[in-house]
């Protein structure tokens, strides 16, 4: 049977966007997206297929139509796959994407959705309702990592199957639904409607995947355009890539993508999360604090609430007081998880202010878990006496030189490392600090590289020079060039942790 439907020429009326009263995208793109996300979340695949089947049934299509639709889909997907192969081959796309600000990531995804809605599919923007995984909130989660995972998944499915239909359990629940689910209308009485929706479902599945292909193609085009033209939102990211080297840019991107999207819920008594307890866990909140203060204190059981009462009753309904448990809303560092967890844990252990920020001036060097050398002990005492100084260097005639860092990000990283090796809480940090000091102070009057290294050896052991030289060699290999590890990370450290730091 010859094909009876020209997909490029046919577009059905916008049933779903009309049903859900979706705002015109040209009027307000953000509202348009928000309304679509709400509509998708409130619908089932059966709901969507039912609306589609109000205007067509299986008898509408010939077998040759399906073959033509699959070929058209393959052409769209091939163009998308070519773009994906190119960006993955070049190797830096994932890092660039993850380093982008969330607002820029959102802009590219919205542009992809807008243009996919205008592309030649049967249902235009209504095709969004077939794709519950293609939402801005989903693809931006985990710092945008979900978008990269989705790209890789698309390419994997395309290269391993034909037809390449992305699996989705939500959508596949409507694969064999009966028809009709509604009363026959006068119009329907003019002909016998098919009782099957299998062909309609297959056509909808093809259009679902075609919409996804267009969405990815247009999103990638938007991103690559900004990279090629060094657009405003892309400049800072490209600067990080070019000035810090691939190793550190990649590490920073991975760290950024491990940020939590929202605070954890923990029991105020036993500290467990719903995930710790398992399926079906339902947490309670203190009703008094919630009603009087609009403040939530969580408990996993009546037992834990009763056990914590002697502590909680002092502030209950009077003050917004919680224990600030790790990862919860009361923790100023709640968003840091994954690769950033050790850093966040370390920062929680730093001296803080009443507002929860880290007190940079009070990151000291005493007490020490072990025994310092006389030279290191002198350094520690001088730093404790002068909170503004980051380090003291000594000329050949033993005249002290105050080293003070103006860059807040570099100062924070420097002091964290200084604290670790000077208090002997970790066998690391010295090399990064030494590299930074040598970079900035080797040419200071009365000082030199040899003088500084000799001092550091006296303070921390004769093998210090060897350690520092090896560190500098590895820095060059990582792409730091003539810079330093502390300097290369300072700007991006402030982007992530800046709100947690107080001078």
């Amino acid at each position: 049977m010859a094909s009876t439907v020209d997909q490029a020429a046919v577009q059905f009326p916008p049933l779903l966007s009309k049903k859900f009263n979706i705002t015109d995208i040209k009027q307000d793109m953000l509202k348009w997206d928000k309304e679509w996300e709400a509509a998708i979340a409130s619908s089932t695949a059966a709901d969507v297929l039912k609306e589609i089947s109000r205007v067509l049934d299986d008898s509408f299509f010939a077998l040759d139509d399906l073959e033509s639709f699959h070929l058209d889909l393959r052409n769209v997907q091939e163009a998308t796959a070519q773009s994906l192969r190119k960006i993955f081959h070049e190797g830096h796309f994932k890092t660039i994407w993850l380093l982008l600000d969330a607002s820029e990531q959102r802009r590219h995804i919205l542009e992809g959705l807008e243009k996919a809605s205008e592309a030649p599919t049967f249902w235009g923007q209504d095709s969004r309702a077939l794709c519950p995984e293609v939402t801005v909130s989903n693809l931006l989660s985990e710092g945008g990592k979900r978008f990269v995972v989705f790209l890789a998944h698309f390419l994997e499915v395309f290269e391993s199957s034909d037809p390449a239909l992305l699996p989705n359990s939500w959508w596949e629940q409507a694969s064999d639904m009966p028809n009709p689910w509604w009363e026959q209308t006068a119009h329907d009485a003019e002909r016998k409607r098919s009782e099957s929706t299998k062909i309609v479902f297959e056509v909808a599945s093809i259009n679902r995947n075609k919409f996804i292909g267009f969405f990815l193609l247009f999103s990638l085009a938007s991103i690559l355009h900004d990279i090629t033209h060094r657009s405003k939102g892309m400049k800072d990211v490209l600067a990080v890539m070019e000035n810090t080297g691939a190793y550190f840019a990649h590490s920073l991107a991975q760290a950024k993508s491990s940020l939590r999207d929202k605070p954890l819920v923990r029991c105020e008594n036993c500290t467990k999360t719903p995930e710790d307890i398992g399926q079906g866990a339902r947490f309670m909140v203190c009703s008094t604090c919630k009603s009087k203060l609009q403040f939530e204190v969580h408990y996993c059981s009546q037992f834990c609430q009763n056990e914590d009462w002697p502590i909680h009753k002092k502030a209950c309904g009077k003050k917004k007081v919680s224990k600030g448990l790790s990862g919860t809303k009361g923790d100023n560092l709640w968003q840091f998880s994954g690769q950033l967890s050790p850093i966040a844990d370390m920062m929680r252990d730093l001296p803080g202010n009443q507002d929860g920020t880290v007190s940079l001036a009070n990151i000291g060097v005493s007490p020490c878990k072990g025994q310092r050398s006389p030279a290191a002990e002198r350094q520690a005492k001088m730093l404790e006496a002068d909170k503004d100084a980051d380090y003291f260097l000594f000329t050949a005639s033993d005249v002290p030189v105050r080293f003070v860092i103006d860059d807040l990000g570099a100062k924070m990283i420097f002091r964290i490392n200084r604290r670790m090796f000077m208090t002997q809480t970790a066998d690391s940090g010295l090399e990064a600090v030494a590299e930074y000091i040598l970079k900035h102070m080797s040419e200071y009057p009365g000082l030199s590289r040899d003088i500084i290294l000799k001092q550091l050896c006296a303070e921390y052991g004769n093998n210090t020079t060897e350690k520092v030289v090896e560190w500098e060699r590895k820095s060059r290999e990582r792409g730091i060039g003539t810079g330093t590890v502390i300097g290369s990370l300072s700007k991006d450290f402030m982007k992530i942790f800046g709100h947690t730091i107080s001078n």
Side-chain angles (χ1 to χ4, degrees):
M1 185 183 294
S3 175
T4 60
V5 179
D6 180 0
Q7 187 175 201
V10 175
Q11 189 171 72
F12 290 96
L15 300 173
L16 295 167
S17 53
K18 184 177 181 180
K19 175 181 178 180
F20 294 116
N21 196 27
I22 304 295
T23 298
D24 188 331
I25 190 171
K26 303 298 183 186
Q27 179 182 334
D28 189 332
M29 180 182 287
L30 292 178
K31 188 177 181 182
W32 171 82
D33 179 66
K34 184 178 180 180
E35 290 172 353
W36 261 121
E37 293 212 8
I40 292 168
S42 65
S43 302
T44 66
D47 294 333
V48 174
L49 196 62
K50 178 177 177 178
E51 291 301 319
I52 290 172
S53 296
R54 289 191 185 280
V55 294
L56 77 164
D57 60 21
D58 283 9
S59 64
F60 189 86
F61 302 100
L63 293 179
D64 285 355
D65 291 329
L66 297 180
E67 184 177 345
S68 174
F69 297 162
H70 277 295
L71 179 60
D72 190 43
L73 169 64
R74 194 74 185 181
N75 290 335
V76 173
Q77 291 181 326
E78 179 59 50
T80 305
Q82 286 180 2
S83 293
L84 285 171
R85 292 188 196 104
K86 179 181 178 182
I87 64 171
F88 285 148
H89 176 72
E90 292 174 354
H92 300 308
F93 174 83
K94 179 179 179 181
T95 301
I96 291 172
W97 171 256
L98 293 178
L99 286 175
L100 274 178
D101 288 342
S103 60
E104 286 297 301
Q105 292 177 338
R106 182 179 294 104
R107 181 173 63 82
H108 292 301
I109 290 176
L110 282 173
E111 183 162 340
L113 285 171
E114 177 185 10
K115 290 188 175 179
S117 296
E118 298 168 350
T121 57
F122 271 149
W123 293 287
Q125 67 168 311
D126 280 8
S127 297
R128 281 199 70 177
L130 313 176
C131 314
E133 66 271 65
V134 184
T135 61
V136 177
S137 56
N138 178 47
L139 297 174
L140 287 188
S141 61
E142 299 179 52
K145 188 183 290 184
R146 288 282 186 88
F147 180 65
V148 179
V149 171
F150 190 63
L151 294 178
H153 178 58
F154 172 91
L155 191 58
E156 179 184 359
V157 172
F158 175 78
E159 293 180 338
S160 62
S161 62
D162 187 10
L165 301 178
L166 272 70
N168 182 279
S169 58
W170 177 90
W171 172 245
E172 288 157 9
Q173 288 175 356
S175 61
D176 193 20
M177 302 296 289
N179 185 21
W181 305 307
W182 57 89
E183 296 293 331
Q184 288 274 346
T185 65
H187 177 73
D188 295 332
E190 296 175 8
R191 62 181 175 84
K192 180 176 176 57
R193 297 190 65 130
S194 170
E195 293 184 1
S196 170
T197 60
K198 288 185 177 180
I199 296 178
V200 172
F201 176 80
E202 184 174 354
V203 172
S205 296
I206 292 169
N207 271 262
R208 157 184 149 78
N209 283 272
K210 192 176 180 184
F211 181 87
I212 290 172
F214 278 131
F215 159 69
L216 294 180
L217 188 63
F218 291 129
S219 296
L220 292 173
S222 177
I223 297 163
L224 293 174
H225 173 274
D226 275 18
I227 293 174
T228 302
H229 293 84
R230 300 183 72 89
S231 300
K232 182 179 179 181
M234 191 67 68
K235 283 183 179 179
D236 286 347
V237 172
L238 295 179
V240 170
M241 294 293 297
E242 293 161 357
N243 297 328
T244 66
Y247 175 85
F248 283 100
H250 175 73
S251 298
L252 181 65
Q254 289 299 106
K256 179 175 175 286
S257 67
S258 70
L259 298 177
R260 288 191 182 92
D261 295 320
K262 56 184 179 181
L264 293 176
V265 170
R266 286 188 185 277
C267 175
E268 193 78 357
N269 184 57
C270 71
T271 76
K272 290 181 179 179
T273 67
E275 291 75 16
D276 294 332
I277 295 173
Q279 189 174 6
R282 298 184 66 181
F283 275 44
M284 304 180 298
V285 297
C286 173
S287 58
T288 303
C289 286
K290 185 173 182 179
S291 61
K292 291 187 176 181
L293 305 174
Q294 289 77 54
F295 182 68
E296 294 187 353
V297 179
H298 296 91
Y299 295 101
C300 69
S301 65
Q302 190 71 52
F303 173 83
C304 275
Q305 186 173 24
N306 291 338
E307 193 169 72
D308 190 57
W309 177 242
I311 298 173
H312 180 63
K313 68 179 181 181
K314 299 173 184 177
C316 185
K318 304 169 187 174
K319 295 181 180 179
K320 295 181 179 181
V321 175
S322 78
K323 296 173 184 175
L325 299 174
S326 174
T328 65
K329 194 173 183 179
D331 171 18
N332 195 47
L333 299 167
W334 65 261
Q335 67 192 115
F336 304 111
S337 62
Q339 293 183 4
L340 288 175
S341 287
I343 301 175
D345 289 342
M346 178 182 63
M347 292 184 69
R348 289 187 187 99
D349 190 44
L350 296 175
N353 301 306
Q354 288 187 343
D355 61 2
T357 58
V358 173
S359 175
L360 188 57
N362 289 320
I363 299 179
V365 293
S366 291
C368 179
K369 287 192 174 182
Q371 186 173 1
R372 297 190 182 106
S373 68
E377 186 63 32
R378 177 175 71 160
Q379 180 74 232
K381 288 180 178 179
M382 293 179 72
L383 290 172
E384 287 296 327
D386 186 347
K387 300 290 187 180
D388 294 328
D390 293 295
Y391 213 79
F392 283 93
L393 300 172
F394 300 92
T395 66
S397 56
D398 205 36
V399 176
V401 177
R402 291 174 79 249
F403 178 47
V404 180
I405 303 170
D406 294 326
D407 183 310
L408 277 184
K411 193 180 193 75
M412 184 71 177
I413 299 171
F414 184 97
R415 289 197 173 201
I416 289 174
N417 280 277
R418 184 189 73 180
R419 182 175 186 260
M420 288 191 297
F421 69 80
M422 289 196 71
T423 59
Q424 297 181 17
T425 54
D427 187 24
S428 62
L430 173 60
E431 295 90 339
V433 164
E435 178 190 46
Y436 193 80
I437 291 173
L438 288 168
K439 168 70 176 177
H440 292 277
M441 297 299 287
S442 289
E443 297 182 5
Y444 189 86
L447 297 175
S448 68
R449 178 181 176 86
D450 288 342
I451 290 173
I452 294 172
L453 285 172
K454 183 178 179 181
Q455 174 187 327
L456 294 175
C457 284
E459 291 174 342
Y460 308 110
N462 292 329
N463 63 343
T464 298
T465 297
E466 181 181 335
K467 289 181 179 179
V468 173
V469 170
E470 177 64 12
W471 176 271
E472 291 173 326
R473 183 187 68 77
K474 288 182 178 180
S475 291
R476 290 191 295 271
E477 289 180 357
R478 293 165 178 165
I480 295 299
T482 59
T484 65
V485 170
I486 290 176
S488 68
L489 294 178
S490 62
K491 179 180 179 181
D492 298 297
F493 183 91
M494 288 301 290
K495 280 185 179 180
I496 296 176
F497 291 101
H499 71 284
T500 69
I501 300 170
S502 176
N503 231 333

